[in-house]
Amino acid sequence: MHAMELIERARAAAGMPQHVGLLEYDSVQAVLAAAAARFPDKPALSSLGHTLTFRELDRLTAAFASWLQHHTDLQPGDRIAIQMPNLVQYPVVCLGALRAGLIVVNTNPLYTAREMEHQFQDSGATALVLLANMAANAAPIIPRTGIRHVVVTELADLHPFPRRLLINAGARYLKKMVPPFHIPGAVGLRQALALGGLLVDEMGGAPVRPYQPAGIWEEMSFGGIKFVQSKGNDLYRRSLYTFWRRTVGPTNLFDTPPRQFCVVKPSRTNTP
């Protein structure tokens, strides 16, 4: 029996249609949205023993797209280079970039620093997402390219704790797979996903009262102000007014200017 006959029998047994409606979807994002709606809890991707469902894949790609749109100056049509092997992070970053309207530039993870520099310059990439294992090669050549935003991921960034910690630490400290590197302004992929996932599109409304150090308002006002923290989406909503305090200054005595005003040089007097 020929291989194609075996494939046809397996397809028929699974109830799969013989032809795919190519005009049913107008983009890759539409395919992902349809799969997430139809098979939300089915496995979509697996890597290093960890599996993402279609629901998780849709949520993570949306979070990365949100970070690109709201935490960078990248615009639709800009190019983003992705340099990593077959990890679950790749489709998350790739599909997230496509959702944000960016053009993906695939970069071979085996490239030398010289080859990376040539491709980044030739493609016009302005952002880069790469595995930490190859960041040491990218660090010295990034200033000679147009790349303004760098996101670094590690092997098990999307694995649950504590497996994530064990795999990443083993690769870095036991296997010595991650040479030391320094890329100013680089953002971790987990940080980008967290920031993107927290954004709330709603704007305006009542003032926002985000997380504050416990008791800081009471201490500043000698108990006169009772700070009530916002809840739910209000923690991350964009508003004209946001209450924000991180420190408490010394008590204002005599001629000491209050901290609410900018004073270039405090006045000197004989006031005790």
Side-chain angles (χ1 to χ4, degrees):
M1 183 177 295
H2 296 291
M4 288 304 301
E5 294 180 4
L6 294 175
I7 293 175
E8 286 296 322
R9 287 191 177 186
R11 179 195 58 75
M16 296 177 61
Q18 187 173 4
H19 301 286
V20 178
L22 298 178
L23 301 180
E24 184 177 353
Y25 306 102
D26 58 1
S27 66
V28 177
Q29 297 93 310
V31 176
L32 175 61
R38 187 177 179 183
F39 312 107
D41 298 317
K42 295 291 186 180
L45 305 164
S46 296
S47 174
L48 297 177
H50 179 59
T51 299
L52 292 180
T53 64
F54 281 101
R55 188 197 309 274
E56 292 170 328
L57 179 61
D58 184 58
R59 176 179 59 83
L60 291 172
T61 57
F64 188 69
S66 176
W67 180 81
L68 291 171
Q69 292 172 322
H70 299 284
H71 294 272
T72 72
D73 60 356
L74 298 173
Q75 299 297 320
D78 288 346
R79 288 167 169 79
I80 179 171
I82 304 177
Q83 186 180 31
M84 66 178 75
N86 293 329
L87 300 171
V88 291
Q89 292 95 306
Y90 177 85
V92 168
V93 170
C94 181
L95 294 173
L98 294 177
R99 292 180 75 157
L102 304 185
I103 298 173
V104 173
V105 179
N106 286 308
T107 303
N108 192 328
L110 299 179
Y111 272 175
T112 63
R114 180 179 178 181
E115 292 170 324
M116 293 163 62
E117 180 180 358
H118 172 74
Q119 183 171 29
F120 297 158
Q121 291 179 342
D122 185 63
S123 65
T126 54
L128 170 64
V129 183
L130 78 167
L131 188 66
N133 302 39
M134 54 209 61
N137 286 339
I141 60 96
I142 287 177
R144 300 195 294 270
T145 68
I147 291 176
R148 304 189 303 269
H149 304 282
V150 179
V151 179
V152 180
T153 184
E154 297 194 47
L155 286 173
D157 269 358
L158 297 184
H159 285 56
F161 183 86
R163 185 170 184 173
R164 177 178 69 251
L165 177 64
L166 294 175
I167 295 178
N168 288 343
R172 181 181 292 269
Y173 300 111
L174 298 180
K175 297 294 186 179
K176 307 295 182 181
M177 297 171 61
V178 184
F181 67 91
H182 175 64
I183 302 178
V187 177
L189 178 61
R190 291 184 58 81
Q191 179 184 0
L193 292 174
L195 291 172
L198 293 177
L199 184 67
V200 177
D201 291 331
E202 180 185 356
M203 293 188 292
V208 176
R209 296 174 172 84
Y211 296 105
Q212 309 280 317
I216 192 170
W217 285 90
E218 289 79 359
E219 183 178 347
M220 180 275 298
S221 62
F222 297 100
I225 299 178
K226 302 296 183 182
F227 180 79
V228 180
Q229 181 178 294
S230 300
K231 298 180 180 180
N233 287 343
D234 281 343
L235 279 171
Y236 315 106
R237 176 171 46 83
R238 289 170 290 178
S239 179
L240 183 61
Y241 298 104
T242 298
F243 289 87
W244 189 266
R245 179 173 287 276
R246 282 293 180 266
T247 62
V248 175
T251 305
N252 296 330
L253 297 174
F254 304 107
D255 294 328
T256 304
R259 294 172 60 86
Q260 286 79 3
F261 300 93
C262 176
V263 178
V264 178
K265 183 178 181 180
S267 60
R268 297 182 63 184
T269 72
N270 292 327
T271 304

